[in-house]
Amino acid sequence: MTSALRVPAVLSARVPVEQRGPGLERDAVRMLVSRGAEVAHQTFTELPLLLRAGDLLVVNTSATLAAAVDGWSGHARVVVHFSTRGDDGRWAVELREPDGRGTTRARAGGPAGTEVCLPGGVRLVLEEPLSGRSERLWWARVSGPEVPGLLREHGRPIRYAYTERDQPLSVYQTVFALPSADGTGSAEMPSAARPFTARLVAELVSRGVQFAPVTLHTGVASAEAHEPPCAERFVVPGASARLINAAKAGGGRVVAVGTTAVRAVESAVGSDGAVRARAGWTDLVVTPERGVRVVDGLLTGLHEPEASHLLMLEAVAGRVAVERAYRAALQHRYQWHEFGDVHLVLP
């Protein structure tokens, strides 16, 4: 699939849907619907018609951080993308170069000991690569104020070159986002939930669809081709575990909103198939070989052909279904990326 599919740049969503015309809201995106090998074209506002009483949506409550901060490394301007806070207080970061157009491009990581001067007299020092596979992400020690405060005062949302302009942080928060007690969150928006509005959530609830909140703080997504996702911090509360188990027992469908929700809930399932309260770090990579044990369906964005998220999609829907859906998305000119259209996979 990855060798055959190429997504033209014109299909990258450059601005949020609500900025594309008067009277539009977040839920005005298109929705590709897959049931096995069948593909249908609908709008996101029709989601309540596709779910039924007893179905359950697993949603990620992680709030998006203003995770990009300008700095200097020697005489060179850099942009630091803060990805994940470690248990020892260090942060996983990616150093990037400004590209002169308001976005950034990749730069060589390291070496250890590299210092970056940040606003407010804050100093960041690279200590070691996150993994032996790549030197893109580094563990860094930050002196001075707590990083969440630095991001609130001097940060902005991470933005990629396909977008048209900077957007306020509110554009990157989903309706489910809740601030965490320690100020941490996601380096990039859990974007599958972006089209939900309060009105649509209320309509779903009125039809008997339930919601199970989980938390998974996403790291930076500018991964190299075929680079697996890094370990991420997650929480599956006991109440949500009980809701998921009850839905399964009652014949309801468990539909994850986003690959982050899949990763969280599949990291909390035991050998007996039951979901239990869990919190910590997950390095789970959901593949067709591993399969899914809890999730019946998935609402997600449209991913690049090289993204590891597609393996998760194949685990839920099967390779033939994913290939058929993506060819249809290209043919019908669906919009890609975090401000784009969505793909609903149902059993």
Side-chain angles (χ1 to χ4, degrees), residues 10-342:
V10 71
L11 295 185
S12 294
R14 294 170 56 78
V15 295
V17 65
E18 64 271 22
Q19 297 177 15
R20 295 177 206 160
L24 296 178
E25 295 190 41
R26 288 181 174 214
D27 57 12
V29 295
R30 301 163 72 194
M31 182 166 65
L32 186 74
V33 181
S34 294
R35 289 187 186 89
E38 294 181 3
V39 175
H41 304 282
Q42 302 195 234
T43 61
F44 189 73
T45 53
E46 295 174 286
L47 179 64
L49 304 178
L50 298 171
L51 300 178
R52 54 184 183 243
D55 287 345
L56 181 140
L57 292 171
V58 181
V59 297
N60 187 359
T61 63
S62 180
T64 308
L65 300 174
V69 181
D70 293 321
W72 292 87
S73 180
H75 296 291
R77 285 185 60 204
V78 296
V79 179
V80 181
H81 286 179
F82 284 85
S83 182
T84 307
R85 186 171 75 173
D87 292 334
D88 59 2
R90 296 187 299 175
W91 279 77
V93 301
E94 179 183 15
L95 265 57
R96 296 178 67 86
E97 293 179 352
D99 62 4
R101 299 188 299 273
T103 51
T104 61
R105 55 178 169 253
R107 72 185 293 278
T114 295
E115 293 190 12
V116 179
C117 295
L118 298 173
V122 176
R123 190 169 64 97
L124 178 150
V125 180
L126 300 185
E127 292 193 347
E128 59 183 333
L130 214 63
S131 79
R133 299 186 302 267
S134 167
E135 293 199 351
R136 184 176 66 88
L137 289 167
W138 284 68
W139 285 115
R141 189 77 61 180
V142 181
S143 68
E146 285 289 305
V147 168
L150 172 75
L151 301 185
R152 283 193 299 272
E153 188 169 352
H154 299 288
R156 62 184 180 278
I158 289 174
R159 177 189 154 207
Y160 290 107
Y162 51 78
T163 57
E164 189 173 287
R165 57 181 176 270
D166 283 348
Q167 299 281 352
L169 184 60
S170 59
V171 165
Y172 292 88
Q173 302 295 6
T174 75
V175 72
F176 305 110
L178 296 171
S180 61
D182 61 3
T184 56
S186 287
E188 299 186 8
M189 171 176 51
S191 55
R194 191 182 189 278
F196 282 90
T197 60
R199 182 199 59 78
L200 192 70
V201 171
E203 183 178 351
L204 287 162
V205 171
S206 73
R207 289 173 175 266
V209 176
Q210 294 185 293
F211 290 81
V214 299
T215 303
L216 186 138
H217 295 320
T218 67
V220 294
S222 52
E224 297 162 1
H226 309 300
E227 182 183 344
C230 297
E232 293 169 319
R233 193 188 299 272
F234 81 106
V235 178
V236 175
S240 293
R242 290 190 292 273
L243 281 169
I244 294 166
N245 293 333
K248 299 288 284 188
R253 297 172 295 182
V254 174
V255 179
V257 177
T259 57
T260 59
V262 176
R263 198 180 196 199
V265 74
E266 291 288 333
S267 298
V269 61
S271 57
D272 59 355
V275 177
R276 294 178 175 83
R278 280 202 62 191
W281 293 85
T282 178
D283 57 3
L284 175 66
V285 180
V286 178
T287 63
E289 292 74 27
R290 189 268 186 190
V292 286
R293 299 170 187 169
V294 180
V295 170
D296 301 304
L298 172 63
L299 177 72
T300 184
L302 293 162
H303 303 287
E304 292 289 357
E306 294 83 7
S308 61
H309 295 312
L310 278 189
L311 293 176
M312 180 184 292
L313 205 55
E314 289 181 17
V316 177
R319 185 177 183 88
V320 172
V322 174
E323 288 187 352
R324 184 162 297 184
Y326 268 61
R327 293 189 192 283
L330 286 172
Q331 181 183 351
H332 291 267
R333 302 183 68 79
Y334 278 68
Q335 296 279 293
W336 253 254
H337 300 303
E338 68 266 32
F339 297 143
D341 298 314
V342 292

